[in-house]
Amino acid sequence: MNKGISPYVNRDLSWIEFNRRVLQEAQDPSNPLLERAKFLSIVSSNLDEFMSVRVAGIQDQMRAGFTKMDFSGYTPAGLWKRLIKRTTEMVHEQYRTYREIFRGLSKEGIFIRSIDELNATQTNAISEYFHEIVFPVLTPMAVDQSRPFPLVHTKELYLAVLLNRVGAPEEEEPLFAIVQVPSILSRFVPVPGRINSKKVEFVLLESLIEQYIDTLFNGYTPFSVHPFRLTRNADLTLNEEGAEDLLEEIEKELRRRRWGIPVRLEVAKGMHPYALQVLREELEIEDNLFEIEGPLDLSFLMRFSNQLPGYDNLRFERMDPVYPREFEEIPDMFEIIRSRDVLMYHPYESFEAVNDFVLQAAYDPDVLAIKMTLYRVSGQSALVQALAKAAESGKQVTVVVELKARFDEERNIAWARQLEKAGCHVVYGLVGLKTHAKILLVVRREFGTLRRYVHVGTGNYNDSTATLYTDIGLFTSHPIIGGDASALFNEVTGYSSPYEWKAFGVAPTDLKEKLYRLIDRESNHARAGKKAHIIAKMNSLSNKEMIDKLYEASQAGVKIELIVRGVCCLRPGIPGRSENIKVFSIVDRFLEHARIMYFRNNGAEEVYLSSADWMTRNLTKRIELMCPVFDIELRKILIKMLKLNLEDNVKARELKSSGLYEHVHGDADKPFRSQFEAKLIPLWKGHA
């Protein structure tokens, strides 16, 4: 490695590499075709969020004249140039992959057609669909002296239309209008099958509207119709301390988000120069323009792949989560958790067990109180219904709802209002801090005393994402954990002096320092000539001080293995600094989301579950939780999970000192895909 290269990888450039790994899954011919289409959809959704938050933030810094370098050595302007170059390359590769996937799908009889490829019967059918279903929803919006340029909503699809008046002289300037492609209708429109054909055919909604665009402009001749899409700055700017009602303040900010500063403009390749000029001037877009050769916004491929009936041969083999075997033995979940801790591994084990636990607590006359945090909740949450039932039956129900969960703000506001209506105490957390901890506490009267039952998790209380993300959940009635859980809720909901945590590490007060102590302990073991080993699994690692602490441990001789799915600013393999550190990333069927930390501790092994990544925002600006796993057998299972990830030689990539990732290549005769082996873990319980 060259001496001039920074010991840190830039966070945003690292994110680009993560999205490239997702794109590689879309390109991987060993993945089924419809699954590849889903990965391509995820690439698009990821880019949308990256543009609307990270790139938008860099633009803000440039507008403010900010020129200071970040810890990786980049100024905002320098980073902007690199990001635009790399995202442009990625988009080009993304659409090449789109064409490749649909060439494969066409061989399976699945087509997205252009209108001129349809036969007469199909054309009549889509014409009827347009006039009966689509046309009544459309609203043409002209732009002229009396009608100013309309509000263009972020990440919505529009058509830019140029028109001539019938009979107007040739030199007259064209008229400009836009038409929103209605997101309430399906983006892909099925067309009737051809006679004696098993082909499944669709047209895109924007192509259908373009075909009949003249029906919206009587007396005018449309001569240019092209799709475009705008991405706006989506970051919320809240004055929490000055807000009398945080919920109302966030609702106001969500409305302001519609007018966020434009960040990116996507247009169909070949758009008329005049239409492009109008858009750039009106939307004030100078540099971040993407000319797309293909359908704009490929995120529709997720729904397309999921809703296409049949074709199981083009999907991953179906996997139904199993109900945790511990809770199948005895129907009383309190009795089980009272006797032993229970570990759950999603999505291989069903999230229904969490719903059932809250439901049992809601109807149990001996349960006095239920307290929990909600960060991202599914659209039809059984948990919310159970909490409402508990409150209506007279139990003390306290719910900490995080209203600032990005892009889930509106849904969380709706849940908060529903819970308040049912009689729950709804708390919005502490000023200036997001509540990201995942914890559920049930207080129950038993045998003349009170017992606390706790569930802590690495993922959200969301039964939808629990089928798509790998996460860990722990049920326990351990009194030390129960005491810490009560203290945590007291700190969040009331006034409380700093608490001396017995088991937990809690951000922003002491989680970082506790991690430092655990890392330093391994360093001391290494300096004393003892074996020292850290394995840490998380989504992202970008906090400079934490990276420096890991560098110190590496220099002391600690063996460090990091499993970081996404952003990693640590640069491994630097002589004299990080030669004892290896970093791996696994991108596969399920989103790797669990946060697990292992410390060898001279043979007295310790394992922790956490809600926190090792990012500055998690360690200093959020309420986060790290919880020890006391049960020896469960610790063994978690260590086995970590080792499975480290043995992966199919979907694992290793981060090199260059900042680039390379596939891990093991024994070609013994491919090992950790997510496919991990499904056996529920069967190992009690046999770790």
Side-chain angles (χ1 to χ4, degrees):
M1 178 174 166
N2 296 330
K3 291 183 179 179
I5 295 179
S6 168
Y8 310 99
V9 179
N10 177 269
R11 170 182 170 173
D12 295 304
L13 294 176
S14 180
W15 183 91
I16 293 287
E17 289 306 308
F18 160 64
N19 211 35
R20 192 179 304 282
R21 296 195 291 281
V22 180
L23 180 55
Q24 287 171 354
E25 291 303 305
Q27 296 167 334
D28 187 347
S30 70
N31 286 327
L33 276 168
L34 290 177
E35 303 296 343
R36 292 172 63 187
K38 288 182 186 179
F39 280 115
L40 205 56
S41 167
I42 295 168
V43 171
S44 281
S45 300
N46 286 348
L47 267 175
D48 281 351
E49 183 170 346
F50 183 68
M51 286 288 173
S52 63
V53 178
R54 296 298 304 175
V55 173
I58 294 167
Q59 279 189 334
D60 287 344
Q61 291 177 353
M62 291 166 62
R63 272 190 289 270
F66 193 77
T67 58
K68 185 179 177 182
M69 285 186 181
D70 63 19
F71 70 85
S72 67
Y74 280 92
T75 64
L79 181 58
W80 164 266
K81 290 177 183 176
R82 291 290 294 273
L83 291 177
I84 297 306
K85 182 176 185 293
R86 290 202 187 180
T87 50
T88 301
E89 291 169 353
M90 180 176 290
V91 169
H92 177 77
E93 199 173 339
Q94 182 187 8
Y95 278 87
R96 182 183 63 77
T97 306
Y98 169 82
R99 291 187 287 274
E100 179 185 314
I101 289 172
F102 271 87
R103 279 196 298 271
L105 289 175
S106 68
K107 293 176 182 177
E108 301 290 339
I110 301 168
F111 297 85
I112 291 182
R113 298 288 197 187
S114 60
I115 302 293
D116 57 12
E117 291 179 296
L118 304 182
N119 63 27
T121 302
Q122 292 172 321
T123 302
N124 289 336
I126 65 161
S127 173
E128 184 178 341
Y129 177 80
F130 173 83
H131 288 94
E132 291 190 4
I133 304 297
V134 181
F135 178 82
V137 183
L138 299 178
T139 303
M141 291 175 283
V143 178
D144 55 28
Q145 290 181 338
S146 63
R147 289 169 290 194
F149 200 87
L151 173 66
V152 174
H153 295 281
T154 185
K155 294 186 286 191
E156 294 285 347
L157 190 60
Y158 291 83
L159 296 176
V161 186
L162 293 181
L163 310 106
N164 289 323
R165 285 188 305 112
V166 174
E170 287 187 13
E171 64 274 11
E172 186 173 281
E173 191 173 80
L175 302 170
F176 181 87
I178 67 173
V179 178
Q180 184 174 353
V181 178
S183 55
I184 197 170
L185 299 178
S186 175
R187 179 83 183 275
F188 46 96
V189 180
V191 296
R194 301 169 193 256
I195 297 174
N196 298 323
S197 173
K198 294 183 179 180
K199 294 176 181 177
V200 179
E201 300 174 79
F202 301 88
V203 295
L204 291 177
L205 183 58
E206 61 266 30
S207 300
L208 182 58
I209 297 170
E210 179 183 350
Q211 177 70 15
Y212 298 103
I213 196 73
D214 58 311
T215 62
L216 298 171
F217 299 99
N218 290 326
Y220 295 84
T221 304
F223 66 89
S224 171
V225 184
H226 286 93
F228 73 93
R229 185 170 179 262
L230 182 70
T231 307
R232 295 181 180 274
N233 187 327
D235 229 5
L236 295 182
T237 305
L238 292 172
N239 176 17
E240 292 186 51
E241 293 189 18
E244 293 184 14
D245 188 321
L246 183 60
L247 188 146
E248 288 186 6
E249 184 68 19
I250 289 177
E251 286 181 322
K252 289 179 187 175
E253 280 299 322
L254 288 174
R255 288 192 289 272
R256 289 188 199 115
R257 185 182 273 174
R258 300 174 189 169
W259 286 274
I261 295 173
V263 176
R264 171 185 62 167
L265 178 62
E266 298 167 278
V267 301
K269 190 165 186 174
M271 175 177 274
H272 193 286
Y274 181 79
L276 183 58
Q277 179 188 341
V278 172
L279 289 174
R280 294 185 78 156
E281 289 178 358
E282 293 290 348
L283 300 173
E284 298 181 351
I285 285 281
E286 295 178 9
D287 300 321
N288 207 0
L289 172 72
F290 290 81
E291 292 188 272
I292 305 296
E293 195 170 357
L296 273 58
D297 184 16
L298 295 182
S299 64
F300 79 90
L301 291 174
M302 181 65 73
R303 186 171 292 178
F304 177 82
S305 300
N306 285 334
Q307 294 184 355
L308 195 64
Y311 296 100
D312 289 343
N313 61 311
L314 303 183
R315 297 184 171 92
F316 287 129
E317 183 182 347
R318 181 182 169 127
M319 192 210 74
D320 294 317
V322 299
Y323 201 79
R325 58 190 294 182
E326 295 90 339
F327 296 133
E328 286 189 327
E329 297 170 7
I330 301 173
D332 185 350
M333 299 179 78
F334 292 114
E335 182 179 342
I336 295 294
I337 302 167
R338 190 163 57 244
S339 65
R340 63 184 187 274
D341 290 357
V342 176
L343 190 74
M344 292 195 305
Y345 190 19
H346 309 300
Y348 308 101
E349 291 182 294
S350 174
F351 190 80
E352 283 300 309
V354 180
N355 294 337
D356 290 346
F357 177 71
V358 178
L359 202 59
Q360 184 174 333
Y363 285 99
D364 189 324
D366 291 321
V367 168
L368 305 180
I370 303 173
K371 303 181 181 184
M372 79 178 297
T373 58
L374 292 179
Y375 190 75
R376 296 190 194 275
V377 190
S378 66
Q380 301 294 326
S381 176
L383 273 178
V384 172
Q385 310 302 328
L387 291 169
K389 288 283 185 187
E392 289 164 358
S393 67
K395 302 183 192 308
Q396 291 290 310
V397 179
T398 304
V399 187
V400 182
V401 178
E402 182 46 71
L403 297 180
K404 302 183 292 295
R406 185 177 285 134
F407 304 120
D408 277 332
E409 299 97 343
E410 291 179 84
R411 178 180 291 171
N412 285 6
I413 287 171
W415 286 133
R417 293 197 189 282
Q418 183 175 330
L419 289 166
E420 285 178 332
K421 190 175 180 181
C424 300
H425 299 292
V426 178
V427 179
Y428 304 137
L430 299 174
V431 171
L433 299 173
K434 281 187 180 181
T435 303
H436 194 249
K438 327 296 185 186
I439 185 167
L440 163 62
L441 169 66
V442 172
V443 181
R444 191 171 187 261
R445 181 173 48 217
E446 294 178 3
F447 314 113
T449 186
L450 295 182
R451 185 184 294 270
R452 298 179 181 95
Y453 294 85
V454 179
H455 174 273
V456 294
T458 65
N460 298 306
Y461 288 109
N462 186 314
D463 48 14
S464 177
T465 58
T467 65
L468 304 171
Y469 297 3
T470 67
D471 270 308
I472 306 294
L474 175 70
F475 282 110
T476 182
S477 62
H478 197 292
I480 294 177
I481 291 177
D484 276 8
S486 287
L488 177 62
F489 279 104
N490 289 343
E491 284 204 355
V492 174
T493 64
Y495 295 108
S496 181
S497 300
Y499 180 76
E500 189 172 331
W501 305 102
K502 307 297 189 300
F504 288 174
V506 176
T509 53
D510 82 327
L511 175 56
K512 194 174 183 181
E513 287 67 29
K514 182 163 188 171
L515 287 167
Y516 281 1
R517 290 194 299 272
L518 293 169
I519 295 169
D520 285 341
R521 187 179 65 189
E522 293 300 313
S523 297
N524 292 334
H525 287 319
R527 293 188 188 101
K530 301 171 183 176
K531 289 183 178 179
H533 191 188
I534 297 170
I535 307 175
K537 177 174 180 174
M538 64 197 78
N539 297 327
S540 300
L541 168 59
S542 63
N543 179 263
K544 179 182 181 295
E545 291 76 21
M546 188 63 71
I547 293 170
D548 288 341
K549 182 60 69 174
L550 291 171
Y551 285 159
E552 287 177 22
S554 171
Q555 291 166 328
V558 180
K559 179 183 178 181
I560 301 172
E561 295 173 295
L562 304 174
I563 306 161
V564 185
R565 184 199 76 226
V567 169
C568 182
C569 297
L570 179 148
R571 196 183 291 273
I574 305 174
R577 188 188 294 263
S578 59
E579 67 265 41
N580 290 316
I581 304 177
K582 286 185 175 291
V583 179
F584 302 93
S585 171
I586 295 172
V587 179
D588 202 347
R589 174 179 184 174
F590 302 116
L591 183 83
E592 292 284 343
H593 194 256
R595 290 98 166 183
I596 310 170
M597 287 79 201
Y598 162 82
F599 300 90
R600 191 175 192 278
N601 191 26
N602 195 30
E605 297 172 312
E606 294 183 4
V607 179
Y608 296 83
L609 303 177
S610 182
S611 62
D613 294 314
W614 291 0
M615 305 176 74
T616 300
R617 70 186 187 193
N618 298 93
L619 299 172
T620 64
K621 299 178 181 178
R622 291 184 173 188
I623 298 171
E624 300 276 12
L625 171 64
M626 184 174 76
C627 176
V629 178
F630 289 131
D631 185 283
I632 294 174
E633 294 303 313
L634 298 188
R635 282 206 299 266
K636 289 179 181 178
I637 291 173
L638 288 167
I639 294 168
K640 181 67 176 179
M641 290 180 186
L642 292 173
K643 289 182 176 177
L644 282 177
N645 284 167
L646 294 172
E647 292 169 12
D648 195 307
N649 60 12
V650 176
K651 293 299 181 182
R653 284 91 163 170
E654 183 175 358
L655 174 61
K656 300 298 182 179
S657 58
S658 63
L660 302 177
Y661 287 77
E662 294 181 6
H663 270 94
V664 174
H665 295 294
D667 187 340
D669 295 327
K670 295 182 180 179
F672 189 87
R673 194 168 178 177
S674 59
Q675 287 195 0
F676 284 54
E677 299 294 329
K679 65 185 178 182
L680 300 174
I681 285 178
L683 305 178
W684 298 346
K685 291 189 174 181
H687 307 284

